[in-house]
Amino acid sequence: VTTIASYAFAYCEYLSEVYLPKSLTTVGSAVFEGCDDALRIVFEGSVPTRVAEDAFEPLNAYYMSEYSRIWSRALDKNGMWENLTMHELALVTLTFKFGYGTDQVVTLYPGDEVEKPSDPARTGYTFTGWSPVIPNKAPNQNTTYTVQWQVNQYTLTFNANGGIGGKTFTQNYGTKVTAPTVTRTGYTF
């Protein structure tokens, strides 16, 4: 594919992502007219040499070169495109803090798919999620995600075995347990 004709994707209400090949040289008029402005356009090569003035209206930004660069145009006071520019997208670092052991760190471009870590396990605790919630796509800035744990509670029963002072209570994992004082006539504890 070297050319995308005018209105090729016009009113593409269900289209969320379009990949444009390295071979593309020409983009016609109003190619994405009426499309959702959340549409993501990924260029696998460089900027096409011939682009119609209104080719990408009303969209604001276009990802290209395998997510490493963003191609954007600013609107002038009359709402017309001007100043075709290219900007390098910076890599972002996502850090997953488990609260023990080694943190997991990944580096991605904004918009890349985020592979979420497997749910961690910790003795005496229940995994309840991440804070903030891990998105499906990498954000535009470095972000740290911290695991959230809920301490487990256990029911403990001290049986006085015919004596008095036996007790049942709930205790958080890892906290000090104090045994109750128990007595039984005729017996030594």
Side-chain angles (χ1 to χ4, degrees), residues 136-156:
N136 292 324
K137 304 272 186 181
N140 293 325
Q141 69 278 343
N142 296 337
T143 306
T144 298
Y145 301 95
T146 305
V147 71
Q148 301 298 295
W149 299 106
Q150 173 70 45
V151 66
N152 294 339
Q153 293 188 329
Y154 298 93
T155 300
L156 306 174

Side-chain angles (χ1 to χ4, degrees), residues 153-159 165-172 175-180:
Q153 293 188 329
Y154 298 93
T155 300
L156 306 174
T157 301
F158 288 88
N159 183 341
K167 185 176 180 181
T168 298
F169 55 94
T170 302
Q171 185 93 20
N172 285 345
T175 58
K176 182 178 178 182
V177 176
T178 303

Side-chain angles (χ1 to χ4, degrees), residues 20 28 31 37 53 62 70 72 80 89 101-102 108 118 124 132 137 143 152 158 166 180 189:
L20 302 178
V31 172
D37 65 2
E53 187 67 25
Y62 315 95
I70 189 168
S72 64
M80 300 301 292
L89 277 181
T102 304
L108 302 167
S118 299
K137 304 272 186 181
T143 306
N152 294 339
F158 288 88
F189 178 71

Side-chain angles (χ1 to χ4, degrees), residues 116 130-135 145:
K116 298 174 185 171
W130 295 92
S131 180
V133 174
I134 300 171
Y145 301 95

Side-chain angles (χ1 to χ4, degrees), residues 60 98 115 139 165 185:
N60 294 321
F98 294 94
E115 186 175 331
T185 304

Side-chain angles (χ1 to χ4, degrees), residues 20-39:
L20 302 178
K22 292 178 181 180
S23 58
L24 187 64
T25 59
T26 305
V27 181
S29 179
V31 172
F32 297 98
E33 181 178 302
C35 293
D36 184 342
D37 65 2
L39 173 65

